[in-house]
């Protein structure tokens, strides 16, 4: 399918025709002086004239701000246009231009599906703790103040390319992506999801950029606003700061590097401030994710500046980052050859330079929406079970906690074949609190895992990541107290990612596959609820059932029965139906 990708700015319209299957750009161009000399409709007319030989299966529109509503590419209709319009106060320069392009293109190509691909979408599911600013929630709500994040299409694309290069599933990796161009942002991609990003409510926060300051004391903004007025402060921080402001040389790092080489102190300081800020974020994001598998550098600076890469990546050996100087110097990436590995062979963390390609990502997403793969087949309802807090043990832990050679006693079979709730219980202890009588599940596993809810996590005083079962690397520590001993696990505490178990035959019936994410509408309780981001798990060994934790069940007011320690308790009368694929 050929996709017309449109990136409509306030003064220019960039376009590409992309073959969605192979990702090749078949045509591209830029219409300038939009707004002043010609309207967006005129510019779209020029785009269509320039691409006249192509037949489009979809038009993909880059949209900067999707607010809280859009967590994926979305087919455009009047309702979606109204929602993008509602985000104009959050992106007053960008969204009106994006909308002008959408309106003109829809009018010119009324029979082709138009799809909005949002810069913010990849970050919508960030944990609340990452997207919440520490201000009065009433003020935050009234003004839409929270971390939205930007550059999502690029962060997601380069993380996927890196995972493919490393021959790993992105869902197994913790990656820091550094998009360093004229705009710059960092993103912590944990198991495929954005869990932190440096741009915030606006693209001004975070890293040093071409002309934007990035992080500074909010008191500085107040101080400058009082001294200069609001508009002059906006100008100072957005257009006269960053590399340009620090160096006094404009925003092109190549010029600044040349001047630094020649001994210019301001140019040197600009480079040092830029690199220091990036390195600071790498450390912070490794801490946020509890570990690190790869760093990805992209954008004009990340892809091209050998010197900036070297400065950012120095003194990170303690994290397992080791850069091969020769590989760094020789790294050349392009759309045709998008990855260069610049790490030493013995480095625990891989450091990759990846050529970003937002147009390709937009085309892929637009083609997927247009092809309608989001429609899942309608099959019957899915039983729901609520998973209370519980523990999986390995052999060594069993020996230590219950005595050498001890065995679990089956107390009650669970719905998944071969699984059972054991009679044995343990106390789990965190730095702040303890929870007694936590059920152990059998049979024994290859490694220990403790699954709690967000409420439990707060009581224990630990920061448990939301993870798929079995993905405990870099998760939270927890102490287990048993009748015969105490075991301190360095990692293993998680909040379980909501999921559906099903057999291959079920998957066929629902039109999904292992690893898909679906939305699930839960009905039958007093407060019907649609759960997003539900992982599909397919195996011959499973029985069809959706698992949610107690907090999630409470949110939908599903009755989980009187006995709080029961695990995987079936809920009579509550079923779920699949809505659509992500
Ligand atoms: P982008 O916004 O991703 O197109 O990045 C543009 C920026 O990348 C330019 O303003 C330059 O600062 C930087 N850049 C591009 N090529 C080089 C290079 N060879 N060395 C250093 N910086 C570069």
């Amino acid at each position: 399918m050929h996709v017309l990708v449109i990136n409509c700015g306030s003064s220019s319209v960039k376009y590409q025709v992309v073959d969605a299957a192979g990702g090749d750009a078949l045509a591209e161009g830029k219409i300038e002086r939009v707004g002043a000399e010609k309207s967006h409709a005129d510019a779209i007319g020029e785009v269509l004239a320039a691409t006249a030989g192509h037949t489009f299966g979809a038009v993909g529109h880059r949209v900067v701000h999707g607010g809280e509503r859009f967590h994926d590419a979305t087919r455009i209709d009047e309702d979606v246009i109204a929602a993008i319009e509602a985000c104009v106060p959050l992106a007053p320069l960008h969204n009106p231009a994006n909308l002008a392009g959408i309106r003109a293109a829809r009018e010119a190509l009324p029979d082709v599906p138009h799809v909005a691909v949002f810069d913010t979408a990849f970050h919508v599911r960030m944990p609340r703790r990452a997207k919440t600013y520490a201000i009065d929630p009433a003020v935050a709500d009234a003004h839409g103040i929270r971390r939205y994040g930007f550059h999502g299409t690029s962060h997601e694309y380069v993380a996927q390319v890196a995972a493919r290069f490393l021959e790993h599933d992105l869902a197994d990796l913790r990656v820091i992506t550094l998009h360093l161009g004229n705009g710059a942002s960092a993103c912590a991609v944990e198991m495929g999801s954005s869990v932190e990003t440096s741009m915030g409510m606006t693209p001004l926060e975070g890293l040093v950029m071409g002309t934007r300051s990035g992080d500074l004391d909010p008191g500085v903004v107040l101080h400058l606003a009082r001294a200069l007025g609001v508009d002059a402060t906006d100008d100072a921080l957005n257009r006269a700061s960053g590399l340009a402001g620090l160096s006094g040389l404009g925003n092109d790092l190549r010029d600044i590097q040349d001047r630094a080489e020649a001994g210019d102190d301001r140019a040197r300081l600009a480079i040092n401030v830029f690199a220091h800020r990036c390195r600071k974020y790498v450390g912070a994001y490794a801490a946020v994710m509890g570990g690190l598998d790869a760093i990805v550098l992209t954008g004009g600076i990340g892809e091209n500046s050998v010197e900036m890469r070297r400065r950012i990546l120095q003194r990170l050996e303690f994290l397992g980052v080791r850069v091969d100087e020769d590989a760094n110097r020789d790294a050349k990436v392009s759309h045709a050859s998008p990855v260069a590995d610049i790490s030493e062979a013995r480095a625990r963390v891989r450091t990759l330079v990846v050529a970003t390609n937002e147009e390709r990502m937009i085309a892929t997403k637009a083609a997927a929406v247009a092809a309608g793969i989001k429609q899942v087949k309608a099959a019957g309802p899915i039983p729901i079970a609520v998973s209370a807090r519980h523990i999986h043990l390995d052999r060594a832990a069993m020996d230590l906690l219950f005595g050498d050679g001890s065995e679990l006693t089956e107390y009650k079979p669970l719905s998944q074949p071969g699984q059972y709730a054991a009679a044995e219980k343990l106390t789990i202890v965190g730095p702040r609190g303890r929870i007694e009588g936590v059920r152990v599940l059998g049979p024994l596993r290859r490694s220990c895992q403790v699954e709690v809810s967000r409420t439990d996590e707060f009581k224990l005083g630990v920061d448990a990541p939301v993870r798929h079962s079995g993905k405990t690397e870099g998760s939270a520590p927890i102490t287990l107290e048993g009748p015969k001993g105490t075991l301190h696990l360095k990692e293993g505490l998680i909040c379980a990612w909501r999921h559906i178990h099903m057999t291959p035959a079920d998957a066929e019936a629902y039109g999904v596959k292992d690893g898909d994410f679906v939305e699930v509408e839960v009905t039958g309780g007093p407060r019907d609820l649609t759960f997003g981001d539900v992982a599909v798990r397919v195996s011959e060994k499973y029985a069809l059932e959706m698992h949610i934790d107690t907090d999630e069940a409470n949110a939908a007011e599903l009755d989980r029965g009187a006995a709080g320690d029961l695990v995987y308790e079936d809920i009579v009368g509550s079923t779920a139906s699949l809505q659509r694929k992500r």
Side-chain angles (χ1 to χ4, degrees):
M1 184 192 293
H2 290 185
V3 178
L4 174 62
V5 176
I6 295 178
N7 182 352
C8 205
S10 51
S11 62
S12 71
V13 175
K14 286 191 261 180
Y15 67 92
Q16 249 187 39
V17 179
V18 181
D19 172 16
D24 293 334
L26 307 173
E28 62 187 302
K30 186 173 181 182
I31 315 291
E32 313 246 27
R33 291 185 294 281
V34 180
E37 291 174 20
K38 59 185 81 136
S39 68
H40 283 93
D42 297 337
I44 295 292
E46 286 185 38
V47 170
L48 293 181
T51 58
H54 298 272
T55 309
F56 301 120
V59 182
H61 295 267
R62 177 182 180 207
V63 181
V64 165
H65 218 304
E68 300 204 49
R69 167 162 165 185
F70 296 104
H71 53 79
D72 206 350
T74 304
R75 181 153 184 185
I76 298 170
D77 57 19
E78 289 306 321
D79 178 45
V80 168
I81 288 178
I84 297 171
E85 188 102 56
C87 295
V88 165
L90 295 168
L93 297 179
H94 294 102
N95 272 29
N98 301 155
L99 276 168
I102 287 171
R103 290 198 171 104
R106 281 183 93 214
E107 213 167 292
L109 294 170
D111 300 326
V112 180
H114 290 252
V115 178
V117 181
F118 300 92
D119 278 17
T120 47
F122 186 49
H123 307 297
V124 164
R125 297 183 191 81
M126 275 188 299
R128 280 199 308 169
R129 64 197 63 182
K131 63 188 180 195
T132 305
Y133 290 112
I135 61 172
D136 180 343
V139 175
D141 284 351
H143 299 278
I145 297 173
R146 46 155 280 197
R147 180 180 307 288
Y148 293 99
F150 298 88
H151 287 147
T153 310
S154 177
H155 288 298
E156 186 179 6
Y157 175 77
V158 297
Q160 285 178 0
V161 170
R164 267 200 302 281
F165 177 84
L166 297 171
E167 298 181 347
H168 270 284
D169 194 339
L170 187 56
D172 290 333
L173 296 175
R174 289 160 296 175
V175 184
I176 296 173
T177 50
L178 297 171
H179 178 108
L180 310 177
N182 198 31
S185 68
C187 184
V189 185
E190 183 177 357
M191 312 287 164
S193 301
S194 166
V195 295
E196 250 294 6
T197 193
S198 59
M199 282 178 170
M201 176 184 166
T202 74
L204 183 55
E205 192 183 350
L207 303 180
V208 177
M209 303 180 219
T211 63
R212 284 172 256 169
S213 63
D215 290 339
L216 38 73
D217 174 357
V220 172
V221 183
L222 301 175
H223 187 76
L224 285 180
R226 283 188 200 107
L228 308 176
V230 173
D231 290 344
T233 303
D234 184 333
D235 212 47
L237 298 179
N238 274 302
R239 285 170 283 280
S241 292
L243 288 174
L246 284 171
S247 69
L249 294 168
N251 65 351
D252 197 316
L253 181 62
R254 285 165 287 206
D255 301 335
I256 299 168
Q257 286 178 169
D258 289 346
R259 294 292 304 155
E261 194 71 30
D264 183 322
D265 188 56
R266 279 181 67 177
R268 287 184 175 174
L269 183 61
I271 291 169
N272 282 335
V273 174
F274 187 103
H276 170 81
R277 184 84 53 84
C278 286
R279 205 167 64 243
K280 189 164 89 171
Y281 269 91
V282 169
Y285 286 2
V288 163
M289 294 190 285
L292 183 62
D293 300 302
I295 298 177
V296 177
L297 297 107
T298 191
I301 294 172
E303 291 171 32
N304 296 301
S305 177
V306 176
E307 183 187 341
M308 191 57 88
R309 288 198 298 259
R310 184 188 304 122
R311 285 180 185 278
I312 293 168
L313 299 165
Q314 66 187 318
R315 294 171 56 219
L316 292 176
E317 287 82 5
F318 71 98
L319 279 178
V321 178
R322 289 175 177 277
V323 173
D324 180 318
E325 277 306 320
D326 293 340
N328 182 40
R329 194 193 52 235
D330 297 340
K332 292 263 176 305
V333 293
S334 63
H335 288 169
S337 172
V339 186
D341 186 343
I342 59 169
S343 12
E344 287 183 8
R346 64 184 168 142
R348 200 172 41 72
V349 171
R350 307 316 298 171
T351 303
L352 306 177
V353 179
V354 176
T356 194
N357 191 343
E358 290 163 277
E359 291 77 16
R360 179 176 182 173
M361 191 72 174
I362 291 171
T364 308
K365 284 177 180 280
V369 171
I373 62 162
K374 282 177 169 275
Q375 301 306 317
V376 294
K377 294 183 208 165
I382 298 167
I384 306 171
V386 181
S387 179
R389 64 181 81 96
H390 62 265
I391 300 166
H392 300 280
L393 296 177
D394 61 16
R395 183 66 256 169
M398 188 74 201
D399 288 344
L400 199 152
L401 294 162
F402 292 102
D404 284 343
S406 56
E407 294 295 342
L408 291 173
T409 324
E410 181 165 335
Y411 160 72
K412 186 174 181 281
L414 300 175
S415 49
Q416 295 306 309
Q419 306 287 307
Y420 59 87
E424 286 74 15
K425 295 180 180 180
L426 294 166
T427 298
I428 57 177
V429 186
R432 181 175 175 273
R434 51 200 286 125
I435 302 176
E436 293 179 0
V438 181
R439 182 79 66 185
V440 178
L441 299 198
L444 295 177
R445 287 192 177 182
R446 268 198 314 226
S447 63
C448 295
Q449 178 173 306
V450 181
E451 297 178 36
V452 295
S453 68
R454 278 274 184 253
T455 304
D456 293 340
E457 173 211 60
F458 195 77
K459 186 168 177 190
L460 294 166
V462 280
D463 203 3
V466 178
R467 290 279 179 85
H468 298 297
S469 184
K471 307 267 188 224
T472 52
E473 205 188 4
S475 59
I478 189 74
T479 298
L480 305 178
E481 285 179 3
K484 290 281 161 52
T486 297
L487 174 62
H488 180 69
L489 297 174
K490 278 205 204 119
E491 57 188 23
L493 185 77
I494 63 168
C495 291
W497 195 301
R498 50 182 169 249
H499 56 276
I500 305 172
H501 292 281
M502 58 174 76
T503 64
D506 295 326
E508 170 72 30
Y510 284 101
V512 294
K513 60 182 188 314
D514 189 56
D516 279 351
F517 290 90
V518 293
E519 280 186 1
V520 173
E521 188 178 56
V522 173
T523 52
R527 296 168 85 191
D528 289 355
L529 194 64
T530 300
F531 288 105
D533 264 346
V534 184
V536 173
R537 295 272 165 262
V538 180
S539 164
E540 288 289 2
K541 289 187 275 180
Y542 292 153
L544 181 66
E545 196 168 68
M546 172 165 164
H547 289 168
I548 55 178
D549 74 15
T550 46
D551 284 347
E552 293 168 320
N554 288 342
E557 281 192 35
L558 298 176
D559 180 11
R560 66 187 166 96
D565 66 341
L566 278 191
V567 181
Y568 296 165
E569 183 193 7
D570 283 333
I571 296 167
V572 181
S574 294
T575 53
S577 56
L578 287 193
Q579 295 300 299
R580 64 184 176 83
K581 247 165 81 171
R582 194 167 103 188

